[in-house]
Amino acid sequence: MLGTTSEPSMEACQARCASTIDCMTFTFTLVPGKLPKVAGDCRLQSAMSWHSNASLPVLSGPARFQSCCTETPLLVDAMFTFGAPAISFPAASNPGGRCIPGVRMYTENDRLPGGGYGWQEDAAAMHTRYPHAKTPVFVLRDANKSTSQYYECYHTPMSTDQLVERMPLMKGAMYHEWRLHGITDVYAKRLAGMSLPNTSRLSKEKLDKYIQIGLNLTDMADKTYTQNLSAAREAVRRDLPGWKLVGYASVMGKAGDQDDVLLLQDEESGDCTISFEGSFGMPDLGSFASDYGTGYCGFDDVHVGVRNELWYITAKPGKPSWASGIKSKLPKCRKVICVGHSLGGALCELFTLCANSNRFGDPDFNKLAWKKVEPQLMPEVDDYTERIARLWSVERGEPVAHIALPYWGIAALALSMMLAMMLPRTLHARTGDKEISIIQANAGSSGASEADSTDVEGQS
């Protein structure tokens, strides 16, 4: 062992290893009770060290990541969240501990209403014990009372002032305030009037661009709460000119609630935003009742409630499902930006963490990931298209019996059924006794396929 020091972050510990002669690996240990603080003990090991199990949150790795970790292609290009609870340890990031482009936003009152010492934070953003995602941060304050703050994200933070995943913190004189959580009545208003101190390194041009992007994204996040395809489509037409609703999924959540996901595409650039629905009633809030970690997408310590929500969205049948309504369309996007408010922001963080992990073969990764193809503009989602997609879906358990088709659609369906009924008779006329062996062979194949499908679902 080459010595132990206290370092502000895992990345700082790795950087110390890289600059120390004979250091081959580092071990960074953090006490769970100290979360969401991310400072810890840094131990350096030489080539003579050996592996051992640890009971505390421990991160270990090489002095330098290989290029495959830092130059891997990413499926999600950027992430914008509003009042999102934190979801994992270590902090969600791109491979190699790299910052995720975009902005994480939360609201704050640095002056208590009526006076007094302390300040208030959006309660949802302080709700879990985990560190926040490794991405730039906007702290949105009331423009009439104070200036907002912007914090850059550093791939290798070397001091506590550079740790964006540490804010906001639960500590003395900092209070949970749920009235700071509204997407349209708080976040959108504070973005519209936002100003930054002169000491900020963010240029005015980039700030203005972020504000406009943020206002559009608050609208997109808000549309997920419609819980209705027609209403969401009309809201996008009305409030977001130049964008189309090209994908939609509605899945019954674990607690019996409805979870909606929207995919919007810019008609000019071909870029897409995927928006996860935020907390919508008590079942969603119950996702945070259990605050412990579990495994997901190859990561060991992910918030169990958020993990369960995302797993149900990507793995269970819906009307339409994730596979038919969203995943099948993501390859056609030029870029993909993830957007979410509240629980939707937490889902967005976990979705980005998994989608950008490149963990091919992992069942969780395979359920949500996609392969990029040549970008193309997609048509707007319409009710009939989605009904047909559900009707011909091959996903097990997909409900189709109640689907209402236009009259000509019913006629076409009836005709196809008649043709299917005539098919065995035609075979019999041409092949005689061979009909039975053909039907038995098909039945055998169908049975094997069903068994394989059941095994796969059980393993996931």
Side-chain angles (χ1 to χ4, degrees), residues 128-156:
T128 69
R129 65 182 178 86
Y130 290 100
H132 282 277
K134 193 171 178 180
T135 189
V137 175
F138 269 147
V139 183
L140 301 177
R141 296 174 179 153
D142 187 339
N144 296 322
K145 300 177 182 179
S146 182
T147 56
S148 298
Q149 294 287 335
Y150 172 73
Y151 295 91
E152 294 184 52
C153 183
Y154 296 86
H155 294 311
T156 305

Side-chain angles (χ1 to χ4, degrees), residues 63-341:
R64 292 181 178 84
F65 287 122
Q66 297 179 357
S67 60
C68 63
C69 294
T70 56
E71 299 175 8
T72 183
L74 305 175
L75 293 179
V76 179
D77 296 273
M79 180 179 73
F80 292 82
T81 64
F82 306 86
I87 55 98
S88 69
F89 178 80
S93 66
N94 277 340
R98 314 291 283 180
C99 296
I100 302 173
V103 177
R104 176 173 65 85
M105 289 167 261
Y106 70 92
T107 49
E108 174 183 276
N109 287 338
D110 59 345
R111 303 173 190 176
L112 292 178
Y117 175 72
W119 61 93
Q120 299 169 321
E121 308 279 8
D122 180 344
M126 304 170 66
H127 199 60
T128 69
R129 65 182 178 86
Y130 290 100
H132 282 277
K134 193 171 178 180
T135 189
V137 175
F138 269 147
V139 183
L140 301 177
R141 296 174 179 153
D142 187 339
N144 296 322
K145 300 177 182 179
S146 182
T147 56
S148 298
Q149 294 287 335
Y150 172 73
Y151 295 91
E152 294 184 52
C153 183
Y154 296 86
H155 294 311
T156 305
M158 301 304 293
S159 70
T160 55
D161 293 335
Q162 298 177 346
L163 295 173
V164 292
E165 55 265 46
R166 297 183 70 238
M167 302 172 291
L169 300 177
M170 295 184 185
K171 60 183 181 182
M174 182 178 288
Y175 304 105
H176 292 66
E177 180 52 76
W178 286 103
R179 288 175 293 182
L180 294 178
H181 190 56
I183 184 65
T184 54
D185 57 338
V186 181
Y187 277 90
K189 289 181 179 179
R190 293 198 175 189
L191 270 169
M194 187 175 68
S195 62
L196 293 178
N198 294 331
T199 55
S200 173
R201 298 176 59 181
L202 189 67
S203 67
K204 185 180 184 305
E205 291 74 15
K206 195 168 184 178
L207 173 62
D208 291 340
K209 180 180 178 181
Y210 270 146
I211 290 175
Q212 188 54 56
I213 291 174
L215 289 173
N216 284 342
L217 295 176
T218 56
D219 260 339
M220 293 175 186
D222 187 50
K223 300 302 177 277
T224 60
Y225 292 103
T226 59
Q227 294 210 314
N228 179 279
L229 170 57
S230 298
R233 183 177 58 239
E234 293 306 316
V236 172
R237 289 175 180 173
R238 181 184 65 246
D239 301 328
L240 294 167
W243 290 83
K244 287 190 299 186
L245 181 64
V246 297
Y248 177 78
S250 182
V251 180
M252 193 63 69
K254 182 180 180 182
D257 59 315
Q258 179 179 329
D259 294 324
D260 285 3
V261 187
L262 309 183
L263 184 66
L264 288 75
Q265 187 176 41
D266 186 316
E267 296 180 284
E268 182 176 345
S269 67
D271 295 349
C272 296
T273 64
I274 178 171
S275 301
F276 289 91
E277 182 185 336
S279 301
F280 199 86
M282 292 306 296
D284 283 329
L285 294 177
S287 299
F288 295 98
S290 299
D291 191 16
Y292 65 88
T294 188
Y296 180 76
C297 202
F299 298 94
D300 295 327
D301 194 358
V302 173
H303 189 283
V304 64
V306 181
R307 176 265 181 200
N308 288 345
E309 284 285 324
L310 187 58
W311 189 89
Y312 266 77
I313 289 172
T314 58
K316 293 298 181 180
K319 301 180 293 182
S321 69
W322 165 267
S324 64
I326 300 292
K327 182 179 177 180
S328 63
K329 300 172 183 180
L330 285 169
K332 302 174 185 178
C333 299
R334 191 177 74 93
K335 291 183 178 180
V336 174
I337 299 170
C338 195
V339 181
H341 167 248

